[in-house]
Amino acid sequence: MMSKNDGEIRFGNPAELHGTKVQIPYLTTEKNSFKRMDDEDKQETQSPTMSPLASPPSSPPHYQRVPLSHGYSKLRSSAEQMHPAPYEARQPLVQPEGSSSGGPGTKPLRHQASLIRSFSVERELQDNSSYPDEPWRITEEQREYYVNQFRSLQPDPSSFISGSVAKNFFTKSKLSIPELSYIWELSDADCDGALTLPEFCAAFHLIVARKNGYPLPEGLPPTLQPEYLQAAFPKPKWDCQLFDSYSESLPANQQPRDLNRMEKTSVKDMADLPVPTQDVTSDDKQALKSTINEALSKDVSEDPATKSGLLPPPPALPPRPCPSQSEQVSEAELLPQLSRAPSQAVESSPAKKDVPYSQPPSKPIRRKFRPENQATENQEPSTAASGPASAATMKPHPTVQKQSSKQKKAIQTAIRKNKEANAVLARLNSELQQQLKEVHQERIALENQLEQLRPVTVL
Amino acid sequence: MAVCIAVIAKENYPLYIRSTPTENELKFHYMVHTSLDVVDEKISAMGKALVDQRELYLGLLYPTEDYKVYGYVTNSKVKFVMVVDSSNTALRDNEIRSMFRKLHNSYTDVMCNPFYNPGDRIQSRWALLPVSASSPGGPYFLCPIQSRWALLLCPIQSRAFDNMVTSMMIQVC
């Protein structure tokens, strides 16, 4: 069911996004919807403590489980995700799948009035306003992901990451240097040139948000302050499983799964993050991307617990390997689209060599798509790989074929170049060998002379 | 209440210049440029042996009819130049010192940012506007040495630094 909703929502989102996009010059519409999902994924009721966006400070319509024609409602309600700007009547979430929300469900009730108000305020601004502080709240999964990334850079979680290490890491996000420097300025609260774990999480989260199209705030949001983060997440779950799954996912195993998931999403944004492997597997990635685009964004399928919160559009966060990820069963609708995925998935598999960094970006997407393929942790890696893929194209097949032929050509040229290089090196080798022989001979001659002269000197 | 604040790199090119927008920017650029000679003079006067003892605050560099120019040099030869209005007689030396100290702290924070390459321009959205409005070429700074417009590359955005400078222009810190 969830996946269904996701799909529907996905379709609906772009439309919505366009309407709401006005204010914020997001990179892509997908990003917006993506962003929205992000907000939605945030679990608790977000009281709009600080709205980075100039939007009505109403409680985010998270719990707005509006049974939209776009099908937002289902998904959102279950996931407790607020759905931004539901076109249809803003009906209180509660009822629809509200029950599934469980705990969160209660919250919607509380906010319903405010939600309705907020909705009625302006649809346009909803995008911005609905998640006043949503984008700046880190979900549990996101936090785990950040923590794992921190661990990969610095094994000791209580220590800090030096500036240069962090710089290299964040540069992979492909954001511009001024933006990165500004993010650093925001997140490095003590201005010591190093990032502790909460600072790192805040910086990473800001980067993710920025990649999803959120404008950077003027000041560090309260939910990203180091004290808040330390208090909110008392003990990072150094989940070995997660970490291992991440590392496993790296090797492109999950591609088939991820591909299916990715099909529908617009990979553009995702592509940005998984930079490292791009040059190598660009073609593969493109294939992945296309598949992703085609496949419905399973973002819907994101189960409430995981709340990666990123909708179909290229999820900024990589689909975390969530053991808890529930298999989204509602793929039925997506199946037709997915059917293509398997073929593409195969293609994309080679592209995997994604670096951990790329994983995060695709996280949200992966999650959503998960239901389709296989609910296993490894999905992320594949998604990550797909993320980097080129902008999603709606026709995966032709692009895929082109990709493969391009890849072959690339491989052939690479082979030729290698052969040439080999020849050159062999020649060089032979020349050097000759020089070595000559030098040996000289040495022998000199030693002979020395022998001859020695008796003289002895005398 | 500084009227103009400038950060000059070791090689005597400006990293950051900001003046109150209502004034003629070029005049302040020129004043800062000419004050560099005085700064160099004061630095060299200390002598190499006294480098460690050299005080960072240079004091009043030279007074003009309307303005007074104060200088401050860091240990890495980065110079801060501040131009204040002469009519503001209530401004005391201690206050100037504290303003420079804060400026120095903000500058160190900028340096701590790993994305900042030492020698890059410190950019601020607001600082660019007055400069570009008065100068022909947009975000260019008058290069003091060659006397022509030179584009400073790879600026870094630092809002904290900028905010600090803004606060100095509004009030005495």
Side-chain angles (χ1 to χ4, degrees), chain A residues 163-164 167 170-171 177 180-182 184-185 191-193 218, chain B residues 109 112-115 117 123 125 155-161:
Chain A
S164 50
K167 175 182 175 180
F170 290 136
T171 310
I177 296 291
L180 285 172
S181 72
Y182 182 60
W184 177 281
E185 200 181 314
C191 292
D192 57 356
E218 293 291 319
Chain B
D109 291 343
C112 281
N113 192 326
F115 296 99
N117 298 317
Q123 182 181 21
R125 301 176 300 188
I156 187 189
Q157 262 196 345
S158 173
R159 297 199 193 173
F161 188 82

Side-chain angles (χ1 to χ4, degrees), chain A residues 185-201:
Chain A
E185 200 181 314
L186 284 178
S187 56
D188 191 5
D190 49 7
C191 292
D192 57 356
L195 292 181
T196 62
L197 179 58
E199 289 175 346
F200 177 84
C201 291

Side-chain angles (χ1 to χ4, degrees), chain B residues 13-155:
Chain B
Y13 64 86
L15 293 175
Y16 181 91
I17 292 185
R18 175 117 173 255
S19 351
T20 54
T22 55
E23 302 285 344
N24 182 6
E25 316 293 339
L26 278 181
K27 182 172 64 175
F28 292 121
H29 288 210
Y30 183 70
M31 285 176 76
V32 167
H33 182 200
T34 53
S35 66
L36 288 178
D37 282 336
V38 185
V39 170
D40 283 341
E41 196 184 309
K42 287 203 185 247
I43 294 177
S44 59
M46 303 273 190
K48 286 186 188 168
L50 301 174
V51 158
D52 293 337
Q53 303 165 20
R54 178 162 56 81
E55 200 186 284
L56 304 180
Y57 177 66
L58 301 175
L60 181 67
L61 297 179
Y62 69 89
T64 63
E65 265 188 37
D66 303 321
Y67 301 102
K68 293 187 199 159
V69 184
Y70 291 90
Y72 182 99
V73 113
T74 67
N75 284 324
S76 54
K77 298 287 198 304
V78 173
K79 301 147 188 120
F80 299 131
V81 176
M82 188 186 304
V83 181
V84 298
D85 207 320
S86 282
S87 56
N88 194 350
T89 52
L91 214 54
R92 292 189 321 212
D93 205 51
N94 283 342
E95 291 163 358
I96 307 276
R97 279 178 196 262
S98 69
M99 283 166 83
F100 272 126
R101 211 172 308 124
K102 289 190 183 153
L103 206 61
H104 194 175
N105 289 336
S106 297
Y107 179 72
T108 352
D109 291 343
V110 169
M111 294 292 272
C112 281
N113 192 326
F115 296 99
Y116 173 75
N117 298 317
D120 289 349
R121 178 158 61 107
I122 301 173
Q123 182 181 21
S124 73
R125 301 176 300 188
W126 305 275
L128 281 181
L129 293 177
V131 172
S132 56
S134 62
S135 58
Y140 288 87
F141 284 112
L142 175 62
C143 179
I145 298 174
Q146 289 110 358
S147 294
R148 57 186 152 85
W149 299 108
L151 176 64
L152 298 181
L153 304 170
C154 306

Side-chain angles (χ1 to χ4, degrees), chain A residues 371-434:
Chain A
E372 322 260 300
N373 315 315
Q374 296 121 24
T376 58
E377 294 108 12
N378 300 340
Q379 295 184 357
E380 295 172 273
S382 53
T383 52
S386 53
S390 56
T393 58
M394 299 316 282
K395 285 135 198 200
H397 281 305
T399 41
V400 169
Q401 287 159 4
K402 286 180 203 163
Q403 304 285 349
S404 55
S405 61
K406 280 183 203 165
Q407 287 166 11
K408 283 182 197 163
K409 286 181 196 165
I411 291 172
Q412 282 165 3
T413 48
I415 289 175
R416 246 181 286 125
K417 283 184 191 158
N418 284 339
K419 282 187 187 162
E420 288 166 18
N422 279 349
V424 168
L425 288 171
R427 249 182 285 131
L428 200 61
N429 186 26
S430 59
E431 284 173 13
L432 287 170
Q433 294 281 354
Q434 285 211 334

